[in-house]
Amino acid sequence: MTGQNGGQTIAERVARLFDTHRRPGGRRYTTREVAAAVGCSHTHIAEIANGRVADPHVNVLVGIANFFGKDSAYLIPPSKAGFRPQSEEVASIAFRASRLDADALRGVKALIDEILADTAEGGDR
């Protein structure tokens, strides 16, 4: 796995989630707990965290991120998502927008179009 998101690999980021997020009482989450929530084997989760899976599926990475309460962009490199945003912030917005329904997406698009039009006209938004 190549580095992204500040030079860390997906494996390093997944391992960090296990290291920094604890159950009430301080106990570490197990790969079995995460796997049950994600819908894959605990072995697969451990292999991702140990860097033995070269190309983890996006749905598994989204599930891991959601389990730990992180934005999907934390684990998914923009190139894996099919685009190369200009910043990690843009990637985060795109991943969050991907969870919206069609009506909400139209609203977001209209807002972005309005901001871009205002900016092109020399507005101060």
Side-chain angles (χ1 to χ4, degrees):
M1 272 178 274
T2 59
Q4 81 284 333
N5 292 334
Q8 291 183 318
T9 65
I10 292 170
E12 290 168 334
R13 285 181 177 259
V14 170
R16 182 168 170 74
L17 290 173
F18 276 97
D19 289 342
T20 59
H21 291 74
R22 302 292 176 154
R23 296 178 52 90
R27 187 175 62 81
R28 242 177 102 112
Y29 286 101
T30 67
T31 57
R32 289 183 189 277
E33 290 168 318
V34 176
V38 171
C40 66
S41 75
H42 70 94
T43 305
H44 188 57
I45 298 293
E47 288 173 340
I48 292 170
N50 292 322
R52 288 189 291 254
V53 176
D55 191 23
H57 195 275
V58 170
N59 290 343
V60 173
L61 296 176
V62 169
I64 294 169
N66 288 340
F67 180 87
F68 288 108
K70 295 293 279 186
D71 192 283
S72 302
Y74 179 75
L75 291 179
I76 302 173
S79 60
K80 188 167 182 66
F83 64 95
R84 295 198 182 279
Q86 54 194 341
S87 71
E88 196 167 315
E89 186 174 51
V90 172
S92 175
I93 292 167
F95 280 111
R96 290 169 50 206
S98 72
R99 295 191 297 252
L100 299 174
D101 65 24
D103 287 337
L105 279 173
R106 281 191 289 280
V108 169
K109 183 183 179 305
L111 179 60
I112 291 170
D113 290 344
E114 181 182 327
I115 292 169
L116 290 173
D118 192 40
T119 303
E121 295 169 5
D124 57 281
R125 271 197 184 202

